[in-house]
Amino acid sequence: MIPKSNSPTAQAPLLQVSDLRCAFKSSKRKGFFGPHHLIHAVNGVSFEVNAGEAFGLVGESGCGKSTTAKLILNMAHASGGSVLYRGQELVGLSHQAWKPLRRRLQYVFQDPLGALDPRMTVLDQVIEPLTIHQLHDRNQQRQLATQLLHSVGLQDHQLRKYPHELSGGQRQRVVLARALILEPELLICDEPISALDVSIQAQIINLLQELRRAMGLTLLFISHDLSVVRHLCERVAVMYLGQIVEMGPAKQLFNEPRHPYTQALISAIPKADPGQRSERIPLMGEPPSPAAPPAGCRFNPRCALATERCRNEVPTLVQSGDNHAVACFEAKIPVTEVA
Amino acid sequence: MQPLLEMRNLQVGFATELGPVPVVRGVDLQIGRGEIVGLVGESGSGKSVTCMAAMGLLDDNARLQGEIRWQGKRLATQNDKAMSVLRGSELAMIFQDPMSTLNPVQTIGKQLYEAICINHPERMSRRKLQTRALDLLRDVGVPAPEQRLKAYPHQLSGGLNQRVVIAMMLAGNPSLLIADEPTTALDVTVQAQIIELLQELRSKRGMSIILVTHDLGVVAETCDRVVVMYCGEIVEHGPVSKVFSNPRHPYTHGLLASLPRIDSSDTNLEPIPGVVPHPDQLSEGCAFAPRCPHAAACCYSGSPMMQCSDSEHLFACFSPFPVNAESRQAHAS
């Protein structure tokens, strides 16, 4: 058994990401023999996830949220920065050293059919991680897997089925069970419900909340759907072009967004309430390519508030007293709350 | 006034190895001029098949019954020459993924010229074609259209590609656009731009739009009427404001209750239990009964007929949600 912790203090965050960077080589070169262009998919991302909380990472496609998750799990190569998990550095860890850690950190992908083995029954899929980590004997494995599958809402007659025989929601339940069978501390969910129908989405959201309560899970929840994140998470970080532009308690961030990008993003969400058509903050154009980010603040070409300073200087994430951080020169921070 | 498109008791089944499977089971629908009608329901509820039937795009193994009328005239549906004339010039359809609509090995310009030529029987000069294509791209708000003509679809973003598809569709100046999940593959900020564009098409050109979507938020913000489908049937139908503020059918109610709201996180989500049944496993009676919290004995024996909540708001249920106080007041005043 791995010791659960090396006596961390109660306040120390479970996961501490600081200045994480990832650059991909582009196929384009400077000149004929020149160096490849670099695409900075994740460019200096820092955040902390405390034990037991649900942390949301939101942003539009291409903002680097999935890459961030993959960097944490060593599924992509970080070009800089550090990821501390209970004080242990994860960046640059060998494959061997990772193996026991994989039990503690599990990942759920968007497409459940892609994550499941088409030739294994549901029960076998959930037993497999236990076999890989050489836990329990065969009988116990079967018992544990059956129990867990029941608690994610699958019935006995479904355990002998193959993934293609299940519906999308049921498959995602199997994927969840397979991630949870190892009793992880941190579950990273990358768009786990985007491929599902609304009513099934709600079933999975409720299931995640129940499991969190029952198992004391810590959740890093990645999504482009802000309403879901608001519903599920206590703290939220908003990413734009590889950087975090705003971070804070979910309620506060959604009620009083401070970064102009967050404001536009929230106003763009259609509300299922015909009475109150909200005033939209129009966002011109589309996110620029991370291959050629603009100078200064990365949001300045689309920002209505942009000034000369925004075009030249890069704003840093500044935290105010209420744990609400924003990277913007023009953001209105309530005066009383500035630390 | 005569509706633009009318469906009467439309039924579509597919012939399979195991016998016919009914997918659309008696849909009555009217689309008027300049209306945006939302078609919602979970996947497998028959929304797309209904639209494909109207476009005459169903596969050969489809069996179609009932009537589809275009401006009062009955449509010759399957693979008919008359149908292909109508397609593009009167009826147009756009799909979820613009990349699969566009040809990846042809430039945007070439594809636009093709769309324009098909809808203009007389030969156009190259210069005229180009002017027309640029006009279309400007109409749909593509920035720097001159450069885009030479670009290939993979060089443009999803939002721009969807605009190009809409531009191609506009070449025929159709009166009805069927948009099947046009914004599902796009980010929220881009989705907002596309929705604005669709609304503009309606207000400037008087185009009618059928918006097929699973996003109730999009429906609430853009549509005049909403049609809720379940297992190939319409279960509720009415003006968006009435259906959303006072859903009568438990299915509509369930869809709304399972939606997380951005403006409040305190309410609990109440998902609809279970899943949509497979079309060949439908039981007797109301198709929703096995998942319905209100289901009574009668729901398992007979199919509920459409009934009126008021003159515009219809639903098909034996034990509907009551008319709530708010809308009763609104009705009285």
Side-chain angles (χ1 to χ4, degrees):
Chain A
M1 284 299 287
I2 316 116
K4 268 217 165 177
S5 66
N6 301 324
S7 72
T9 51
Q11 282 83 28
L14 187 72
L15 187 77
Q16 193 168 13
V17 176
S18 35
D19 198 29
L20 195 62
R21 284 164 195 280
C22 176
F24 294 109
K25 254 189 212 165
S26 156
S27 58
K28 282 186 189 151
R29 286 164 176 261
K30 277 182 192 145
F32 201 70
F33 293 110
H36 287 276
H37 281 281
L38 285 183
I39 295 171
H40 297 275
V42 176
N43 201 349
V45 163
S46 307
F47 62 89
E48 292 170 354
V49 183
N50 299 317
E53 84 172 337
F55 186 83
L57 205 53
V58 300
E60 292 178 279
S61 41
C63 73
K65 49 192 195 305
S66 292
T67 308
T68 304
K70 287 182 178 154
L71 289 174
I72 294 171
L73 290 172
N74 202 24
M75 293 162 74
H77 182 71
S79 51
S82 93
V83 179
L84 292 180
Y85 174 73
R86 289 193 177 278
Q88 185 186 1
E89 179 61 64
L90 297 185
V91 171
L93 217 56
S94 72
H95 194 70
Q96 205 62 37
W98 252 104
K99 199 176 169 192
L101 276 167
R102 296 245 179 251
R103 273 191 66 193
R104 304 260 161 258
L105 299 114
Q106 284 284 318
Y107 197 106
V108 172
F109 295 90
Q110 173 175 357
D111 175 22
L113 200 56
L116 295 171
D117 187 333
R119 294 179 301 175
M120 273 171 112
T121 63
V122 166
L123 188 64
D124 288 338
Q125 311 246 12
V126 179
I127 289 176
E128 196 186 20
L130 292 175
T131 315
I132 290 173
H133 287 273
Q134 298 170 344
L135 300 169
H136 312 296
D137 61 50
R138 189 75 192 159
N139 260 336
Q140 249 178 327
Q141 285 182 352
R142 185 175 296 268
Q143 218 174 5
L144 280 173
T146 314
Q147 256 172 24
L148 190 60
L149 279 164
H150 285 167
S151 64
V152 297
L154 288 170
Q155 279 143 24
D156 268 328
H157 69 97
Q158 288 164 325
L159 306 190
R160 303 247 158 257
K161 288 193 170 173
Y162 289 90
H164 74 269
E165 295 175 287
L166 301 176
S167 69
Q170 288 164 346
R171 283 177 203 144
Q172 201 57 285
R173 287 169 195 267
V174 177
V175 172
L176 269 175
R178 202 173 57 166
L180 294 175
I181 190 83
L182 293 169
E183 297 173 23
E185 288 173 312
L186 177 67
L187 188 66
I188 300 181
C189 298
D190 191 356
E191 306 266 10
I193 54 172
S194 307
L196 308 173
D197 272 316
V198 260
S199 65
I200 312 296
Q201 280 191 0
Q203 291 176 5
I204 301 287
I205 293 172
N206 281 359
L207 175 65
L208 274 171
Q209 275 177 325
E210 268 166 43
L211 291 169
R212 265 188 73 205
R213 267 193 294 270
M215 304 174 76
L217 268 180
T218 309
L219 213 58
L220 175 56
F221 193 86
I222 296 167
S223 179
H224 68 275
D225 191 332
L226 281 82
S227 332
V228 172
V229 169
R230 152 129 212 197
H231 196 86
L232 202 62
C233 298
E234 281 111 36
R235 284 199 311 133
V236 180
V238 182
M239 283 185 77
Y240 185 76
L241 268 188
Q243 293 174 333
I244 291 180
V245 295
E246 186 164 2
M247 178 157 64
K251 216 171 185 176
Q252 198 178 331
L253 190 138
F254 285 115
N255 286 342
E256 299 153 33
R258 291 177 188 169
H259 197 284
Y261 175 64
T262 319
Q263 289 168 357
L265 200 59
I266 291 173
S267 77
I269 300 168
K271 322 246 175 331
D273 207 343
Q276 30 162 254
R277 283 182 200 203
S278 51
E279 203 49 49
R280 236 176 233 142
I281 303 167
L283 213 47
M284 304 319 281
E286 311 198 8
S289 152
C297 170
R298 292 190 158 202
F299 185 58
N300 84 68
R302 302 172 79 193
C303 181
L305 305 175
T307 62
E308 202 48 43
R309 192 180 174 199
C310 305
R311 281 183 269 276
N312 298 315
E313 270 180 72
V314 181
T316 50
L317 206 58
V318 179
Q319 179 131 359
S320 53
D322 47 354
N323 283 325
H324 194 147
V326 59
C328 180
F329 295 124
E330 300 297 316
K332 299 208 171 30
I333 299 162
V335 184
T336 48
E337 286 170 7
V338 176
Chain B
M1 205 170 116
Q2 197 175 50
L4 205 55
L5 181 77
E6 191 178 7
M7 296 178 182
R8 288 188 197 160
N9 195 22
L10 179 73
Q11 296 175 37
V12 183
F14 287 97
T16 65
E17 289 167 7
L18 303 165
V21 174
V23 175
V24 176
R25 306 183 302 142
V27 163
D28 293 291
L29 187 61
Q30 295 188 341
I31 311 290
R33 274 179 202 281
E35 257 196 314
I36 304 187
V37 177
L39 204 53
V40 300
E42 288 171 279
S43 27
S45 56
K47 322 185 280 290
S48 293
V49 174
T50 305
C51 293
M52 297 293 250
M55 289 294 288
L57 289 175
L58 291 173
D59 277 345
D60 289 341
N61 65 343
R63 300 285 170 267
L64 198 131
Q65 281 172 2
E67 272 182 30
I68 305 175
R69 286 175 179 266
W70 176 255
Q71 300 187 336
K73 270 191 294 189
R74 195 168 170 168
L75 276 187
T77 35
Q78 295 293 301
N79 303 328
D80 198 62
K81 250 202 182 137
M83 197 62 220
S84 78
V85 173
L86 215 54
R87 249 184 254 140
S89 64
E90 294 282 1
L91 285 148
M93 188 161 181
I94 58 174
F95 300 89
Q96 176 172 344
D97 183 11
M99 293 296 257
S100 56
T101 305
L102 295 169
N103 186 337
V105 296
Q106 284 187 357
T107 60
I108 300 297
K110 192 163 183 204
Q111 300 185 52
L112 268 169
Y113 298 159
E114 190 187 358
I116 296 165
C117 287
I118 288 173
N119 289 294
H120 286 262
E122 68 269 27
R123 236 181 107 73
M124 284 174 98
S125 69
R126 179 103 187 149
R127 172 165 301 205
K128 258 190 174 168
L129 262 180
Q130 195 172 352
T131 332
R132 176 91 179 106
L134 289 174
D135 284 346
L136 286 173
L137 286 179
R138 277 189 207 104
D139 278 355
V140 297
V142 172
E146 291 85 359
Q147 294 160 31
R148 310 294 181 202
L149 283 183
K150 290 185 209 118
Y152 288 90
H154 75 267
Q155 294 170 312
L156 306 184
S157 66
L160 273 183
N161 274 324
Q162 195 61 288
R163 284 179 196 262
V164 170
V165 171
I166 294 175
M168 286 170 66
M169 173 277 292
L170 287 182
N173 208 4
S175 356
L176 174 69
L177 167 66
I178 301 178
D180 192 349
E181 306 264 8
T183 59
T184 308
L186 308 175
D187 280 316
V188 266
T189 56
V190 182
Q191 165 173 292
Q193 294 170 357
I194 297 289
I195 285 174
E196 216 140 276
L197 175 61
L198 290 179
Q199 280 175 317
E200 205 181 289
L201 292 179
R202 187 260 292 266
S203 58
K204 282 196 183 152
R205 296 173 178 244
M207 192 184 279
S208 308
I209 299 175
I210 300 180
L211 189 65
V212 179
T213 181
H214 67 273
D215 190 331
L216 295 165
V218 171
V219 172
E221 292 212 348
T222 49
C223 298
D224 309 308
R225 283 194 297 140
V226 58
V227 174
V228 185
M229 284 187 73
Y230 186 75
C231 286
E233 289 173 320
I234 294 177
V235 295
E236 188 156 6
H237 175 192
V240 166
S241 53
K242 286 183 184 167
V243 174
F244 277 62
S245 62
N246 187 15
R248 302 294 307 276
H249 198 283
Y251 180 61
T252 317
H253 190 271
L255 283 181
L256 288 167
S258 38
L259 211 61
R261 307 283 172 131
I262 189 74
D263 35 7
S264 72
S265 60
D266 309 327
T267 46
N268 270 333
L269 298 186
E270 297 164 34
I272 306 168
V275 293
V276 179
H278 194 266
D280 63 2
Q281 287 163 352
L282 289 179
S283 48
E284 188 100 344
C286 172
F288 187 60
R291 299 174 75 188
C292 182
H294 289 190
C298 62
C299 300
Y300 291 95
S301 50
S303 295
M305 299 295 288
M306 268 293 182
Q307 50 180 308
C308 297
S309 180
D310 59 51
S311 57
E312 295 166 302
H313 185 175
L314 304 164
F315 61 93
C317 182
F318 288 125
S319 48
F321 276 83
V323 176
N324 63 25
E326 247 172 75
S327 53
R328 205 180 292 133
Q329 269 170 8
H331 207 65
S333 62

